[in-house]
């Protein structure tokens, strides 16, 4: 069995194919995803999560520090329980860190923003965040606005 | 009344014939898998088939990928700039290529470029009684002819689809960044933030693998099952291309509904 020029072409083909796969993995996709490295989870309760999805980013000061792990409804209080999986690199969040659901851009995706507090103690795995701010629901906002407007101007005689 | 009777008879015969053929195709598939071990041991045979179905399809795949990427760049920019989010062009190009266009269009091209060639080759071997001659010499044509061609296609398909996607993203970059002037950093960074390896890239690879199995199976079966005449071979080639296209698009729907549910 000897090497032929055919082997060269096939070898080139296979190498090119794998090079494309590596390109897609490293350059196009985020292979070094946060979810791959070790994380610790904290819980946050929200009155309303708006359009938050599982795997949505968790950011602090705009930097990606984790992802939303799961979203459940608390059957007693009827609030949403959101589990945040935060990268173990970022262990220094104070215990009174607050979480709010924000939107990137007008049509952008919703994400969880963390606002670090000032306490000495740091967040541990399984903790629950005390201060949360729900997503802003546009319909409610408009409804509130109209309601206020109507309260301001007394109903004219009709 | 008699005409209706004839039509019903024909319909019934077609249905039974189709089911019959499907059963034979399934049995044929199992037989090919059973004799695959032998052809894996004879690597040069397989390498030859990877050359014929993979390397020779390279040009059409790369050129089509580039053009699809160029079109995606133009169309994507035109749509996205209406919403003032032309920075997301990279995301749009990459996701549409990785999830759908890469595997599907590469598989369609592969079926018409390599699948038809495999059908023609095996069909002509049958017509000229080479397969029977092999059987006479105690060489199993399934292990010697069919299985290497099947696996050559299965190996080539995911690699071709990956190259198609990579080329398409390059095309989208050419139009978006070089020609139109979308910010280069935003193009790549938004793409990397939105494309996940396991969810998008790997699912695309799984899709192209499934398409590779389907197309190769149809191609070798149609060749093996063809009428051993000139007309029969030509019909078998047509059937390969038509059935492959239908199988690819139908499987794509099934796979997509399993893979991408928006969760």
């Amino acid at each position: 069995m000897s090497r032929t020029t055919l082997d060269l072409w096939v070898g080139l083909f296979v190498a090119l194919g794998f090079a494309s796969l590596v390109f897609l993995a490293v350059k196009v996709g985020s292979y070094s995803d946060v979810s791959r490295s070790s994380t610790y989870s904290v819980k946050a309760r929200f009155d309303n999560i708006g359009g938050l999805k599982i795997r949505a980013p968790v950011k602090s000061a705009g930097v990606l520090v984790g992802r939303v792990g799961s979203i459940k409804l608390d059957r007693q209080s009827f609030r949403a329980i959101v589990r945040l999986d935060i990268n173990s690199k970022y262990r220094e969040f104070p215990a009174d860190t607050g979480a709010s659901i924000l939107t990137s851009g007008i049509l952008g995706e919703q994400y969880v923003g963390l606002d670090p507090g000032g306490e000495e103690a740091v967040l541990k795995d399984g903790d629950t965040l005390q201060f949360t701010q729900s997503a802003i629901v546009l319909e409610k906002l408009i409804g509130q606005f109209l309601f206020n407007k109507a309260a301001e101007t007394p109903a004219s005689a009709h | 009344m008699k005409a209706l009777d004839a039509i019903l008879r024909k319909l019934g015969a077609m249905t039974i014939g189709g089911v019959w053929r499907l059963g034979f195709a399934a049995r044929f598939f199992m037989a090919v898998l059973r004799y695959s071990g032998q052809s894996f041991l004879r690597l040069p045979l397989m390498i030859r088939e990877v050359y014929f179905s993979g390397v020779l399809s390279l040009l059409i795949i790369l050129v089509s990928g580039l053009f699809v990427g160029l079109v995606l760049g133009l169309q994507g920019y035109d749509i996205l700039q209406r919403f003032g989010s032309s920075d997301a062009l990279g995301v749009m190009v990459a996701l549409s290529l990785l999830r759908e266009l890469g595997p599907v269009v590469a598989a369609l091209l592969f079926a018409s470029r390599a699948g038809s060639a495999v059908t023609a080759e095996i069909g002509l071997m049958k017509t000229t009684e080479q397969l029977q001659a092999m059987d006479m010499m105690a060489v199993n044509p399934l292990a010697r002819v069919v299985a290497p061609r099947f696996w050559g296609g299965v190996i080539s398909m995911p690699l071709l689809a990956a190259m198609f996607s990579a080329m398409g993203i390059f095309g989208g970059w050419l139009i978006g960044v070089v020609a139109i002037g979308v910010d280069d950093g935003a193009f790549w960074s938004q793409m990397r933030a939105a494309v996940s390896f396991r969810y998008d890239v790997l699912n695309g690879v799984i899709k192209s693998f499934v398409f590779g199995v389907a197309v190769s199976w149809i191609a070798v079966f149609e060749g093996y099952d063809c009428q051993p005449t000139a007309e029969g071979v030509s019909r078998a080639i047509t059937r390969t291309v038509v059935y492959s296209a239908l199988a690819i698009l139908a499987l794509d729907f099934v796979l997509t509904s399993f893979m991408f549910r928006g969760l």
Side-chain angles (χ1 to χ4, degrees):
Chain A
M1 197 173 132
S2 58
R3 282 199 282 178
T4 60
T5 39
L6 205 123
D7 294 350
L8 174 71
W9 285 109
V10 173
L12 205 67
F13 169 70
V14 173
L16 214 64
F18 277 104
S20 312
L21 273 179
V22 169
F23 167 76
L24 295 179
V26 176
K27 186 83 182 170
V28 177
S30 44
Y31 187 61
S32 53
D33 214 359
V34 179
S35 60
R36 292 187 61 83
S37 48
S38 65
T39 58
Y40 67 99
S41 343
V42 296
K43 279 187 197 138
R45 287 165 204 272
F46 293 97
D47 291 330
N48 193 328
I49 58 162
L52 192 72
K53 298 251 163 54
I54 294 171
R55 275 171 23 94
V58 176
K59 295 179 179 180
S60 181
V63 180
L64 183 73
V65 295
R67 294 210 178 260
V68 171
S70 70
I71 299 172
K72 272 181 293 203
L73 186 69
D74 185 357
R75 283 192 237 171
Q76 261 87 52
S77 65
F78 292 108
R79 298 176 81 198
I81 307 177
V82 177
R83 199 187 80 219
L84 309 174
D85 295 336
I86 303 172
N87 195 323
S88 306
K89 260 196 303 195
Y90 306 107
R91 280 221 162 271
E92 298 84 7
F93 279 108
D96 59 344
T97 294
S100 41
I101 297 177
L102 306 166
T103 310
S104 51
I106 295 174
L107 290 169
E109 54 173 358
Q110 291 196 301
Y111 65 96
V112 178
L114 295 180
D115 313 301
E119 225 172 274
E120 290 281 308
V122 295
L123 279 179
K124 289 186 297 295
D125 192 59
D127 278 359
T128 303
L129 298 181
Q130 300 299 324
F131 306 105
T132 62
Q133 196 189 346
S134 290
I136 293 169
V137 179
L138 208 59
E139 289 90 330
K140 280 192 180 173
L141 212 65
I142 294 170
Q144 223 163 33
F145 175 74
L146 290 178
F147 188 72
N148 288 347
K149 268 283 179 223
E152 268 173 33
T153 49
S156 54
H158 225 301
Chain B
M1 201 61 215
K2 213 159 200 178
L4 189 72
D5 191 52
I7 290 170
L8 280 178
R9 270 169 196 278
K10 200 157 193 181
L11 209 67
M14 268 169 67
T15 313
I16 292 174
V19 174
W20 205 317
R21 204 149 180 272
L22 190 68
F24 181 48
R27 202 160 59 85
F28 178 78
F29 185 56
M30 296 316 286
V32 169
L33 289 188
R34 200 169 64 222
Y35 293 116
S36 297
Q38 295 177 34
S39 53
F40 268 109
L41 291 177
R42 299 166 75 180
L43 216 54
L45 276 182
M46 199 94 93
I47 287 177
R48 185 178 166 276
E49 295 315 323
V50 173
Y51 177 79
F52 277 115
S53 53
V55 178
L56 293 184
S57 309
L58 206 54
L59 194 66
I60 186 175
I61 289 284
L62 291 182
V63 173
S64 324
L66 184 67
F67 278 116
V68 167
L70 294 174
V71 170
L72 273 178
L74 284 171
Q75 293 280 18
Y77 181 77
D78 182 59
I79 294 166
L80 288 173
Q81 56 97 17
R82 291 186 203 173
F83 304 107
S85 46
S86 55
D87 283 350
L89 182 65
V91 181
M92 177 165 167
V93 170
L95 284 185
S96 37
L97 276 167
L98 289 172
R99 288 180 172 193
E100 290 300 329
L101 288 174
V104 171
V105 178
L108 289 174
L109 291 171
F110 181 76
S112 29
R113 168 67 187 76
S116 58
V118 164
T119 306
E121 205 181 0
I122 297 179
L124 272 176
M125 280 180 162
K126 188 181 178 187
T127 310
T128 53
E129 294 177 341
Q130 292 181 47
L131 295 183
Q132 273 169 301
M134 275 183 194
D135 234 355
M136 293 283 197
M137 294 186 287
V139 175
N140 188 339
L142 281 185
R144 177 67 177 74
V145 173
V146 174
R149 281 166 179 74
F150 174 77
W151 285 107
V154 173
I155 293 169
S156 306
M157 191 55 239
L159 298 173
L160 288 172
M163 286 182 225
F164 187 95
S165 296
M167 206 62 194
I169 289 166
F170 173 67
W173 176 81
L174 271 185
I175 284 290
V177 175
V178 178
I180 295 178
V182 174
D183 184 55
D184 191 31
F187 185 89
W188 290 109
S189 67
Q190 291 226 9
M191 189 193 292
R192 288 185 69 170
V195 178
S196 104
F197 177 74
R198 259 183 296 177
Y199 193 62
D200 300 312
V201 180
L202 222 55
N203 276 343
V205 173
I206 292 171
K207 266 188 181 179
S208 56
F209 176 76
V210 173
F211 296 161
V213 171
V215 170
S216 305
W217 176 22
I218 291 172
V220 291
F221 176 71
E222 291 295 349
Y224 197 81
D225 190 47
C226 76
Q227 297 280 327
T229 57
E231 197 194 350
V233 174
S234 102
R235 278 195 187 162
I237 296 168
T238 309
R239 274 203 303 267
T240 296
V241 175
V242 172
Y243 289 168
S244 297
L246 287 176
I248 289 162
L249 296 172
L251 278 172
D252 184 46
F253 168 70
V254 174
L255 289 174
T256 305
S257 64
F258 274 117
M259 288 169 173
F260 303 107
R261 289 157 166 267
L263 271 177

